[in-house]
Amino acid sequence: MSDLQRVIDASKRVVCFTGAGFSTASGIPDFRSADGLYAGEWEGLSPEMILSRSFFYLHPERFFDFYRRNMLFPDAEPNAAHRFLAALERADRLRGVVTQNIDGLHKRAGNRRVYEIHGSVWENYCMDCNAFYGPERILNSEGIPRCDRCGGVVKPWVVLYGEAPDKYSCMGACREISGCDTLIVAGTSLSVEPAASMLDYFHGRQLVVVNAEPTSVDKRAALVVRGDVAEVFGELRV
Ligand code: NAD
Ligand code: ZN
């Protein structure tokens, strides 16, 4: 822990790359932990299949049923790890957060430079007229959510399996990763591409991993902290 504090104290341009494990302490299940969504029974389908582009188009009612029950947590609050990153940005020591998360908690904690490469459940758009809707449109509807204006399907701005990640978020994310001196990778299994390969843009001084389980970049890291992100970040000071 004191090693991590020393790394952060000596860094001027930190970037944090986060995944679902960053939000489990906020009560949002991840995919691959023992109690994550992959452990559930979904009528023989994997969450990856249900959250895919083809399933969305072929079975929109089943997609929205799963999405409503498992991906929307409007009452979840940022945890100590989110709050630490917000404080680090306020102190002008954090260049940005690159997140695979769709829960919007980094922004809610106060971070401004957040690259949501897989989108956000807080933004939803009519597929026909592009009208914007908040998550309540999905939560408070039954079956397929529809647009008030034109009756089109309201689709979450969430990158489904089989869809390309958001181009502009990815461009910003790669720019920040390639320009930082310290990259902290936290709460991710690094099993989703092309997100995981973005780490190849890093050529700064220190790669740090904070995760409950081993990851594929541990061997490249200057420091690996095995533990709960909320506890680990919660003990750090800016
Ligand atoms: P993942 O489920 O594949 O991996 C999570 C990793 O975090 C695991 O290695 C696990 O050991 C670790 N972890 C879990 N809780 C932790 C904690 N409290 N402290 C430290 N480590 C912890 O998640 P992923 O790599 O982000 O990939 C899953 C994909 O699913 C992403 O694309 C993401 O968009 C999506 N997803 C997002 C959310 C969210 O927005 N909160 C939730 C579930 C899935
Ligand atoms: Zn519309």
Side-chain angles (χ1 to χ4, degrees), residues 18-25 28-33 36-38 51 70-71 73 99-105 118 121 158-159 161 186-192 195 210-215 226-231:
T18 68
F22 216 81
S23 296
T24 51
I28 303 178
D30 66 2
F31 277 176
R32 292 175 184 81
S33 288
L37 284 180
Y38 273 51
L51 295 170
N70 299 294
M71 307 309 289
F73 297 87
T99 189
Q100 301 165 87
N101 293 346
I102 56 176
D103 54 37
L105 289 182
H118 291 163
V121 299
V158 163
V159 177
Y161 289 94
T188 172
S189 66
L190 293 176
S191 44
V192 177
V210 182
N211 208 57
E213 291 169 285
T215 79
R226 188 77 62 236
D228 181 282
V229 286
E231 282 173 24

Side-chain angles (χ1 to χ4, degrees), residues 86-99:
L88 205 60
E89 187 181 296
R90 278 197 299 277
D92 211 16
R93 311 255 313 284
L94 182 86
R95 289 297 306 166
V97 179
V98 176
T99 189

Side-chain angles (χ1 to χ4, degrees), residues 126 128-131 133 147 149-152:
C126 170
D128 290 339
C129 75
N130 218 28
Y133 292 93
C147 175
R149 275 207 228 154
C150 77

Side-chain angles (χ1 to χ4, degrees), residues 76-214:
E77 294 289 340
N79 63 51
H82 296 102
R83 291 195 294 273
F84 174 77
L85 294 185
L88 205 60
E89 187 181 296
R90 278 197 299 277
D92 211 16
R93 311 255 313 284
L94 182 86
R95 289 297 306 166
V97 179
V98 176
T99 189
Q100 301 165 87
N101 293 346
I102 56 176
D103 54 37
L105 289 182
H106 288 298
K107 286 184 174 170
R108 289 194 52 208
N111 282 98
R112 287 163 178 259
R113 287 189 296 268
V114 183
Y115 301 91
E116 294 173 315
I117 57 179
H118 291 163
S120 168
V121 299
W122 292 85
E123 294 182 38
N124 305 271
Y125 297 93
C126 170
M127 293 176 75
D128 290 339
C129 75
N130 218 28
F132 172 86
Y133 292 93
E136 64 285 346
R137 167 53 43 136
I138 314 284
L139 273 171
N140 301 336
S141 59
E142 279 179 20
I144 302 169
R146 297 278 175 186
C147 175
D148 291 336
R149 275 207 228 154
C150 77
V153 176
V154 177
K155 185 175 188 280
W157 178 58
V158 163
V159 177
L160 302 176
Y161 289 94
E163 288 182 331
D166 182 63
K167 185 174 152 196
Y168 295 103
S169 308
C170 285
M171 279 162 51
C174 292
R175 188 182 62 236
E176 296 300 355
I177 290 172
S178 61
C180 67
D181 59 8
T182 297
L183 178 64
I184 305 173
V185 175
T188 172
S189 66
L190 293 176
S191 44
V192 177
E193 290 290 359
S197 294
M198 283 186 179
L199 303 191
D200 294 344
Y201 285 88
F202 177 65
H203 52 83
R205 285 189 304 133
Q206 323 236 42
L207 176 67
V208 176
V209 179
V210 182
N211 208 57
E213 291 169 285

